[in-house]
């Protein structure tokens, strides 16, 4: 973008757009990569593994650093290499064998040019929150059905529950059917809201972080559920209780659907 076009853009942009425009301009210099069918797989894997690695390091240090155990939900449990490596292998295998062909097909059918203007900051924030609420609702229904219908549980969801004490790399240890369902929810939501590409990237980053945090096994003072008021967000202890008891806390993030249907159980009550 030359200086004349940039100045014209800044004239028509609102103040909310101007806050994000430099970031979006920077990302657009990588437009060829972002429009490549390889990008969604690369972005997903690097973001996921990048969020998991700090918790893997904490799990390694935990037996030698007693101070860490006060934040660990299961202080005497640390995942072994025999647990970590299959989880990582499953994630890499599914992304290469299943996710990449789907993104390649989507790229071939509907290639899209990146817009020049960044989204409004308020629009980005509201769309990310709406995408999270929609995903939370969709996964709650999916999750509840798969725990109530034995065939669905055995066929699609049982694999994810093989680790009764969750750890970060077990977040995406799931069947192909479950991974496909989550991918469809993500894609439908951003299309339904007609999200800007920067909003879509932000939503995916937030969604991956929240899911990894939920399975991390660590409840820190700065964990998300402690930052969201009024108990609206369940958090890691909330989701850990689901893995240990199976019949409660089906929503991945928020608590309102479990409250409405009577499936909410407090981690403090445990």
């Amino acid at each position: 973008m030359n200086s004349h076009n940039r100045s014209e853009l800044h004239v028509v942009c609102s103040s909310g757009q101007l806050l994000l425009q430099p970031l979006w301009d920077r990302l657009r210099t990588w437009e060829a990569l972002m429009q490549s069918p390889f990008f969604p797989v690369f972005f997903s894997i690097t973001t996921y593994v990048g969020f998991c690695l700090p918790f893997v390091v904490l799990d390694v240090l935990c037996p030698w650093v007693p101070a860490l155990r006060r934040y660990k939900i299961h202080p005497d449990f640390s995942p072994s290499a025999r647990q970590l490596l299959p989880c990582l292998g499953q994630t890499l295998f599914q992304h290469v064998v299943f996710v990449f062909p789907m993104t390649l097909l989507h790229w071939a059918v509907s290639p899209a040019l990146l817009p020049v203007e960044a989204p409004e900051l308020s629009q980005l924030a509201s769309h990310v929150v709406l995408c999270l609420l929609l995903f939370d609702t969709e996964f709650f229904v999916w999750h509840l059905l798969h725990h109530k219908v034995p065939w669905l549980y055995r066929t699609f969801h049982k694999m994810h529950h093989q680790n009764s004490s969750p750890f970060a790399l077990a977040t995406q240890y799931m069947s192909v059917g479950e991974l496909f369902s989550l991918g469809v929810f993500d894609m439908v939501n951003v299309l339904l809201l007609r999200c800007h590409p920067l909003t879509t990237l932000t939503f995916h980053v937030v969604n991956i972080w929240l899911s990894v945090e939920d399975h991390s096994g660590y409840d820190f003072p700065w964990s998300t559920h402690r930052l969201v008021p009024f108990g609206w967000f369940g958090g890691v202890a909330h989701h850990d209780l689901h893995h240990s008891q199976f019949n409660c806390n089906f929503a991945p993030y928020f608590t309102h659907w479990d409250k409405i249907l009577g499936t909410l159980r407090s981690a403090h009550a445990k």
Side-chain angles (χ1 to χ4, degrees):
M1 185 186 298
N2 60 42
S3 59
H4 176 70
N5 290 339
R6 187 183 298 274
S7 63
E8 287 185 348
L9 178 61
H10 284 189
V11 170
V12 299
C13 279
S14 67
S15 58
Q17 286 176 296
L18 288 178
L19 289 172
L20 296 176
Q21 195 65 48
L23 171 62
W24 183 236
D25 288 341
R26 180 79 177 185
L27 290 175
R28 286 184 68 245
T29 63
W30 299 87
E31 185 168 1
L33 172 63
M34 293 179 66
Q35 291 186 298
S36 164
F38 297 96
F39 177 73
V41 176
F42 172 79
F43 176 81
S44 177
I45 289 177
T46 54
T47 304
Y48 173 66
V49 174
F51 284 152
C52 287
L53 277 178
F55 294 111
V56 174
V57 172
L58 290 178
D59 284 333
V60 172
L61 293 176
C62 200
W64 312 100
V65 184
L68 287 175
R69 297 176 197 167
R70 63 183 294 188
Y71 302 114
K72 198 164 172 57
I73 295 176
H74 302 284
D76 298 325
F77 169 74
S78 290
S80 65
R82 295 183 64 180
Q83 292 173 296
L84 293 169
L85 292 178
C87 292
L88 179 60
Q90 178 76 0
T91 297
L92 297 176
F93 172 78
Q94 289 185 341
H95 277 77
V96 171
V97 176
F98 297 103
V99 176
F100 176 66
M102 290 174 59
T103 58
L104 184 62
L105 178 62
H106 182 264
W107 171 82
V109 171
S110 58
L113 295 175
L114 297 179
V116 174
E117 294 184 9
E120 286 269 4
L121 181 60
S122 59
Q123 182 189 57
L124 182 145
S126 61
H127 277 180
V128 168
V129 172
L130 285 172
C131 281
L132 287 173
L133 288 170
L134 286 171
F135 179 84
D136 191 78
T137 300
E138 293 153 352
F139 187 74
F140 174 81
V141 174
W142 186 98
H143 200 185
L144 186 64
L145 285 174
H146 281 69
H147 274 268
K148 298 300 183 183
V149 180
W151 178 83
L152 290 176
Y153 179 82
R154 289 194 307 269
T155 306
F156 298 107
H157 192 50
K158 183 178 180 180
M159 184 177 185
H160 185 64
H161 275 279
Q162 287 182 7
N163 297 292
S164 58
S165 297
F167 49 93
L169 275 175
T171 304
Q172 292 188 7
Y173 190 65
M174 58 184 65
S175 68
V176 175
E178 183 164 356
L179 182 69
F180 177 79
S181 300
L182 302 186
V184 168
F185 296 155
D186 279 354
M187 183 177 65
V188 168
N189 293 340
V190 297
L191 290 175
L192 181 66
L193 296 175
R194 306 176 87 175
C195 291
H196 188 282
L198 181 58
T199 305
T200 301
L201 288 176
T202 305
F203 163 63
H204 287 322
V205 169
V206 173
N207 200 22
I208 293 172
W209 164 251
L210 293 178
S211 62
V212 169
E213 185 190 47
D214 265 5
H215 292 83
S216 67
Y218 289 89
D219 188 358
F220 292 111
W222 56 84
S223 294
T224 305
H225 71 282
R226 298 185 182 277
L227 304 178
V228 178
F230 310 119
W232 287 339
F233 194 89
V236 57
H238 173 91
H239 192 70
D240 183 87
L241 197 60
H242 168 77
H243 273 264
S244 62
Q245 299 191 7
F246 296 96
N247 61 351
C248 62
N249 302 349
F250 295 104
Y253 304 140
F254 302 100
T255 57
H256 54 279
W257 288 117
D258 281 305
K259 286 179 181 177
I260 291 171
L261 293 185
T263 54
L264 180 67
R265 190 163 300 168
S266 171
H268 300 292
K270 181 179 68 168

